[in-house]
Amino acid sequence: MKKLIMANWKMQLTIKESLELAKQFTKKIKANNSEVVICPDYSALPFVGSILKSSQLALGAQDAAAFTKGAYTGEVSALNLKTLGVKYVILGHSERREHLHENSAIINDKVKAALENKLIPVLCVGEKLAEREAGQTKEYLKMELQHALKGVKIKTASDLVVAYEPVWAISTNKNAKPIKPEEANEIQKFLKDQTFKILKKQVRVIYGGSADMNNAESFLAQGSIDGLLVGGASLKLNDFPKMIK
Ligand code: PEP
């Protein structure tokens, strides 16, 4: 199966910079053995979408509302994202959980709203350093999955993706360093098994957290790592295409 490689640009670029980087990526990236997804911020989505349209790269969003329509000032509906050509949507990212106080119930509603509108949710789960140091990583991840996927039904295994993002390994966090690929692989296997128990489907599980040009290959060589969610390195003109290669 093709590896899924996702660029999470967060809120790091202006619209102009997003357009420029997207244009360059369409020239530099040959996505033959992988599916590459670019996730710009909301404001850049239509513009980046029109650049990616005639390329091999797909469009992703960094979040979506928990409801399809209604009086939710400032929110962005999965329905409209779908109309803009968005295929994947990152949900439950640790930055949203931490800075925007998103809880499991909200994330659960977002997963359902995304599926209703035929977007593929990329559900982020990950332990913080405290859980890791207390030896509670697996229990914590199991709980995050159970809450976020409560009542969720999917038709096929490709309808949903889980992203394992140990919070302490995300490059913008203090003293971040990537987890060892073998250790990530063991946890990814655990996540695959747990997700199977809940959804009765073997969904893809990708890894995120300080993945870069130097370590991408060793992560992708692991049997239970179906792809990468890339933050910092996806903003680099030469590094991200090299990771895909
Ligand atoms: C992320 O925040 O989703 C992420 C993977 O970031 P980075 O690659 O910069 O650690």
Side-chain angles (χ1 to χ4, degrees):
M1 204 207 277
K2 284 189 174 187
K3 299 283 186 185
L4 176 65
I5 317 282
M6 301 190 60
N8 176 10
W9 287 352
K10 310 193 180 185
M11 207 180 67
Q12 304 280 24
L13 303 175
T14 63
I15 294 179
K16 199 163 168 251
E17 288 164 346
S18 301
L19 276 171
E20 196 44 45
L21 193 56
K23 268 188 209 149
Q24 294 296 330
F25 280 177
T26 59
K27 289 184 199 147
K28 280 176 169 274
I29 295 173
K30 297 274 167 290
N32 296 330
N33 301 316
S34 50
E35 182 175 10
V36 180
V37 185
I38 308 293
C39 307
D41 80 3
Y42 283 139
S43 63
L45 270 172
F47 307 106
V48 171
S50 66
I51 289 170
L52 302 187
K53 222 174 193 166
S54 50
S55 80
Q56 295 176 315
L57 315 185
L59 188 64
Q62 297 174 17
D63 191 42
F67 310 97
T68 296
K69 259 192 175 182
Y72 302 105
T73 303
E75 288 293 88
V76 176
S77 168
L79 174 68
N80 287 338
L81 295 175
K82 182 74 188 171
T83 310
L84 288 178
V86 168
K87 183 170 179 189
Y88 290 88
V89 58
I90 300 169
L91 295 175
H93 192 281
S94 57
E95 285 155 11
R96 296 198 62 85
R97 292 181 194 252
E98 191 188 334
H99 306 307
L100 297 149
H101 310 293
E102 270 190 18
N103 61 29
S104 301
I106 296 173
I107 295 163
N108 180 241
D109 283 338
K110 289 187 171 194
V111 170
K112 289 175 180 164
L115 286 168
E116 268 163 30
N117 289 289
K118 309 251 177 313
L119 294 182
I120 302 173
V122 179
L123 170 66
C124 298
V125 295
E127 79 285 3
K128 294 182 281 307
L129 198 56
E131 285 101 29
R132 176 176 163 85
E133 287 178 348
Q136 289 167 349
T137 297
K138 287 186 177 168
E139 268 164 71
Y140 186 81
L141 293 173
K142 185 175 167 182
M143 182 200 68
E144 279 199 328
L145 279 181
Q146 281 172 340
H147 287 164
L149 296 176
K150 197 170 166 203
V152 169
K153 291 198 173 32
I154 54 171
K155 291 198 184 92
T156 71
S158 51
D159 289 349
L160 187 138
V161 176
V162 171
Y164 171 48
E165 296 214 305
V167 179
W168 52 271
I170 291 181
S171 71
T172 43
N173 291 333
K174 216 172 143 217
N175 301 325
K177 55 175 179 347
I179 191 170
K180 288 203 178 70
E182 298 74 19
E183 193 189 340
N185 193 49
E186 198 222 309
I187 298 173
Q188 306 255 145
K189 168 92 178 58
F190 173 79
L191 289 171
K192 273 180 187 268
D193 294 346
Q194 293 303 318
T195 316
F196 186 80
K197 279 189 191 157
I198 303 169
L199 297 175
K200 311 286 178 252
K201 298 274 187 294
Q202 190 69 78
V203 302
R204 289 167 289 175
V205 181
I206 63 176
Y207 169 77
S210 297
D212 61 23
M213 185 173 96
N214 301 312
N215 59 27
E217 200 169 357
S218 35
F219 279 117
L220 293 171
Q222 305 293 324
S224 295
I225 300 188
D226 300 315
L228 297 170
L229 180 51
V230 187
S234 75
L235 297 164
K236 296 186 182 152
L237 180 60
N238 295 315
D239 294 26
F240 189 61
K242 277 192 190 144
M243 290 175 80
I244 291 152
K245 210 169 167 193

